[in-house]
Amino acid sequence: MKAARFLPVLVAIVICVALPPCLPRYVVDLLVFAGIYTIAGLGVGLLLGQCGIANLGQIVFYAIGAYATAYLTVYVHAPAAVGFFVGIAISAVLALTIGWPILRLSGYFLALATLAMGIIANALFFEWDWLTGGTLGIGGIPKLQLFGFVLDTPLRFYYLVLAVAVICMLLAQNLIRSRTGLTLRAMRDSQDAAISLAVNPRWLRTRVFILSAVLGSVAGSLFAHYGGFANVQSFGIEKTINFLLIPVLGGATSLLGVVVGALFIAFMPELLSQFGGVHQILFGAALVGVVVLMPAGLTGALAGAWRRGVDRAGAKP
């Protein structure tokens, strides 16, 4: 029975490893971005699905990771690992500093506070051109190297992103199944009841907010190394909304839902681009359709259809 439970996961891993070499280069390129979005969206999904917090500020930490990597590798000529570490450290400290006061809020007040955080950060990235390069950005970011192997093609970078995404998801799965995860869900469903059990919701939320920021920073550093540049246009309000849409579309309470949502955000605009100037309208209509018709997300709808099919099959004489 245990082997049967893990069989779909093994099949999915085999497909993710074996299929990309057979795909066109532009599809692999989209898969790379889907993997990066999965890592960043995972942080937003943990906050939304486990804590009930709508975070519209993930773009701040994504940009910090990208700019830390860009500045240190291009201007200081530091190793890539230093850029990752500095981005993570800055994001964690900033998340603690900002998260502690604003996580006293709840509902749409908290969502607006995180949105304001993203808008302020975007303005600072534009004004601090001595640090970020402003609209010109920072180019010439070197390709990553692992054990002397240069990741200079989409396929090579894809396997790195896939490995990082799988590790992050395994860590998130352990968190969800731990005592802390159980406490988070109890706090999400009934905060008063959780407080009566000596749970400190503010500190617990802050810890998850820091974890979400770290994931956003890692995704931003990967984006900078893959694209070779980082500029303020890459960290606008559109990307902020996309990060929130990833768990909403896929299913906020499911880790698989984050992957499905990231694939949707990466591939759907490309698929609709063949319709010319109306593709953005079609994309918006697709978003509305998914949200209205599938309130539990794409994975929730698929799981419901599977259960109904099993029930009908069992009801037949």
Side-chain angles (χ1 to χ4, degrees), residues 32-42 62 219 239 243 246 258 262 265-266:
V32 171
F33 281 104
I36 293 173
Y37 293 163
T38 296
I39 299 169
L42 184 59
Y62 185 79
K239 191 67 69 65
F243 285 155
I246 287 170
V258 174
I265 292 297

Side-chain angles (χ1 to χ4, degrees), residues 14 118 152 166 169:
V14 170
D152 56 354
V166 169
M169 294 189 70

Side-chain angles (χ1 to χ4, degrees), residues 197-248:
L197 296 174
V199 174
N200 185 340
R202 189 176 171 191
W203 174 232
L204 201 54
R205 285 179 170 185
T206 303
R207 287 164 58 190
V208 181
F209 192 66
I210 293 172
L211 175 60
S212 175
V214 168
L215 291 171
S217 176
V218 171
S221 293
L222 288 171
F223 164 76
H225 279 294
Y226 184 63
F229 71 97
N231 61 16
V232 71
Q233 288 87 355
S234 302
F235 313 117
I237 190 69
E238 180 182 355
K239 191 67 69 65
T240 295
I241 296 172
N242 282 346
F243 285 155
L244 180 62
L245 284 174
I246 287 170
V248 171

Side-chain angles (χ1 to χ4, degrees), residues 254-287:
S254 165
L255 294 181
L256 178 61
V258 174
V259 179
V260 174
L263 288 170
F264 186 98
I265 292 297
F267 278 86
M268 187 56 72
E270 183 68 22
L271 293 175
L272 295 177
S273 64
Q274 60 182 311
F275 295 102
V278 298
H279 74 279
Q280 290 185 332
I281 297 175
L282 295 175
F283 183 63
L287 294 179

Side-chain angles (χ1 to χ4, degrees), residues 4 9 41-42 61 101 108 127 154 201 203 230:
V9 178
L42 184 59
F61 309 109
Y108 54 83
E127 295 294 335
W203 174 232

Side-chain angles (χ1 to χ4, degrees), residues 155-208:
L155 185 60
R156 293 175 178 178
F157 205 87
Y158 164 79
Y159 286 117
L160 172 68
V161 172
L162 176 64
V164 175
V166 169
I167 292 171
C168 292
M169 294 189 70
L170 289 175
L171 293 175
Q173 180 73 358
N174 284 335
L175 172 66
I176 292 172
R177 291 186 173 181
S178 69
R179 187 182 182 91
T180 302
L182 181 63
T183 307
L184 287 171
R185 291 190 293 279
M187 182 184 66
R188 176 199 62 191
D189 296 335
S190 177
Q191 182 167 306
D192 293 337
I195 292 174
S196 68
L197 296 174
V199 174
N200 185 340
R202 189 176 171 191
W203 174 232
L204 201 54
R205 285 179 170 185
T206 303
R207 287 164 58 190
V208 181

